[in-house]
Amino acid sequence: MNRLASHAKRFATAAASCAAPAGPSAAPRPPVRWTYLPSQLPYHLGLLLQETLVANRLDARKLLASDASSSLSGPDRARAQRRAETDVLLLLQHSPVYTAGRREKDPEVAKAEATRLGSLGADYVSTMRGGQTTYHGPGQLVGYSIMDIAAAQLSTRCYVNHLEVFLASLTSSLGVAVHPIEHTGVFVSPTSKIGSIGIHIRRRITLHGFSLNVEGRTLPWFGNIVACGLDDVSATCIEAELERTGGAKGGLKVEDVLSRAVEGFGKEYRREMVELGDGEEDQDLAAVVRDGVAGRLPPLDIA
C-alpha cells in the first residue's frame, strides 16, 4: 500500500471509530447556536469572547450544582440551564494577526516576531491553542466552536477528528480535492495547505477551532512565516485552487461558503444548527456576543 493510500485508510478508520454517539445512551442535545460576525474582528476581542462564553457556562454549571439552585425561580433556572448547556459556533474573519500556539514558548523569539510581523501591519498574539504559528485575516473563514464534549460524549481525539473530517468535506464540497496527509489540517497536495485546526479545552469545553483560506488575498501574508512549523509547505486557498483547476474565476467571498459550513458542521457532529436570534431564549447569549464584538466585555482572570 502506498503512502497516500495508507494515510487515507487511517483517516477513514479513525473517522469510523469516532462516529458520534447514537441510540439510548446518547442524551438529546440542544441545538448549536451559530452566528456570523460580519465585521473584521481583532483577535484579542475574539479570544475574550470565547473565554467569556466558556466562563459563563462554567459559572452556570456551578450554580446549578450548588445549594443556591433550590432557590432559583423557574425562569432563572431555565436561563442558567441554557447558559450551561448551549454549544456555540462563532464564524468570522479576523483583522490581520499572526498567532503562536503553546508549543512556542521562547519569550525572546516571541518578542522578535511581534516586532517583525507588527511592522507588516499585523498583530502578534501568543495563545493556548495547539499547534504553532499561523495567520488569520480577511478572506479566511474562522470558526470557533464552544462545545461541551463531555455532554456530547466525545473524547478530545474524536472531537478533533470530526473537526478535521468536517473541514475536509467542506473543502471538497467547494470543488477542491483534498489530499490525505499525516499532519493535522487540510491539504490539497503534500506541500499545499488550505485549512488549519487548533483547539484548547477547559473543563471539557472547547475553544478555538478551525480556519479555511477562501479568498486569494490571504496568501501573501503566509509568506512571512513558516506556517504551522512546516518548512516545505505553503498556503493555498479555495479561490486559487478553483482557478488552477479551471473552476470558478475569481470573486469568491467568505460569505459564499457560510451556509455550507453551517450545514456541514451540523452533519458531522449530528447536531441541529440554529442561527442565533433576538428571541427570549437567545437574548443572554446574543448580548454577550454583541458586547464581545463591541469590545465591552470585562477582562477575565483565567487560571
Side-chain angles (χ1 to χ4, degrees):
M1 183 181 295
N2 63 35
R3 187 166 175 261
L4 175 58
S6 176
H7 289 189
K9 181 178 179 181
R10 182 172 62 83
F11 191 75
T13 300
S17 68
C18 286
S25 64
R29 300 288 299 139
V32 174
R33 287 307 200 265
W34 72 271
T35 188
Y36 174 63
L37 311 179
S39 59
Q40 294 174 18
L41 190 67
Y43 187 84
H44 71 280
L45 294 184
L47 181 58
L48 179 57
L49 174 55
Q50 294 178 76
E51 290 176 338
T52 300
L53 290 172
V54 172
N56 287 351
R57 293 188 71 168
L58 294 176
D59 287 346
R61 275 188 193 173
K62 185 176 180 180
L63 173 61
L64 291 169
S66 71
D67 293 340
S69 66
S70 61
S71 63
L72 290 174
S73 66
D76 285 344
R77 177 177 292 277
R79 288 179 66 187
Q81 287 177 331
R82 284 196 297 271
R83 189 174 299 173
E85 296 174 359
T86 301
D87 294 330
V88 179
L89 178 63
L90 302 173
L91 298 172
L92 60 131
Q93 299 177 67
H94 278 302
S95 52
V97 60
Y98 293 94
T99 66
R102 57 180 177 265
R103 294 186 193 177
E104 297 170 294
K105 301 177 180 178
D106 190 325
E108 292 302 315
V109 171
K111 183 178 179 180
E113 283 292 88
T115 300
R116 180 178 73 87
L117 297 172
S119 69
L120 303 174
D123 294 328
Y124 180 85
V125 181
S126 296
T127 75
M128 287 302 293
R129 63 158 174 79
Q132 300 185 49
T133 299
T134 192
Y135 167 76
H136 299 305
Q140 181 190 72
L141 175 64
V142 171
Y144 292 137
S145 169
I146 313 299
M147 182 182 292
D148 184 340
I149 59 174
Q153 299 183 27
L154 291 171
S155 66
T156 300
R157 180 181 67 85
C158 286
Y159 170 76
V160 172
N161 182 264
H162 281 299
L163 202 56
E164 196 166 25
V165 171
F166 149 72
L167 197 56
S169 298
L170 175 59
T171 302
S172 297
S173 76
L174 294 167
V176 176
V178 171
H179 185 96
I181 199 167
E182 70 267 29
H183 300 296
T184 300
V186 177
F187 293 72
V188 301
S189 79
T191 57
S192 296
K193 188 175 185 180
I194 201 167
S196 297
I197 292 171
I199 71 162
H200 181 61
I201 295 178
R202 184 174 300 136
R203 299 187 188 177
R204 309 307 292 161
I205 297 176
T206 63
L207 300 91
H208 302 287
F210 67 87
S211 63
L212 179 67
N213 302 330
V214 177
E215 302 174 30
R217 57 178 167 158
T218 60
L219 300 186
W221 294 91
F222 281 97
N224 301 310
I225 57 171
V226 178
C228 303
L230 302 174
D231 293 293
D232 58 344
V233 172
S234 60
T236 189
C237 66
I238 299 294
E239 189 173 21
E241 290 303 307
L242 291 177
E243 291 181 359
R244 183 180 65 82
T245 58
K249 300 292 185 181
L252 186 69
K253 302 296 182 184
V254 165
E255 290 80 3
D256 298 330
V257 309
L258 292 178
S259 61
R260 289 178 186 264
V262 172
E263 180 182 0
F265 189 91
K267 180 179 179 181
E268 182 59 34
Y269 286 99
R270 299 187 187 179
R271 299 288 296 277
E272 180 184 358
M273 305 294 291
V274 173
E275 187 170 8
L276 183 64
D278 296 321
E280 182 179 354
E281 288 192 355
D282 288 346
Q283 61 183 194
D284 290 347
L285 177 56
V288 172
V289 172
R290 284 194 302 270
D291 287 347
V293 171
R296 294 192 295 261
L297 292 175
L300 297 176
D301 182 14
I302 303 296

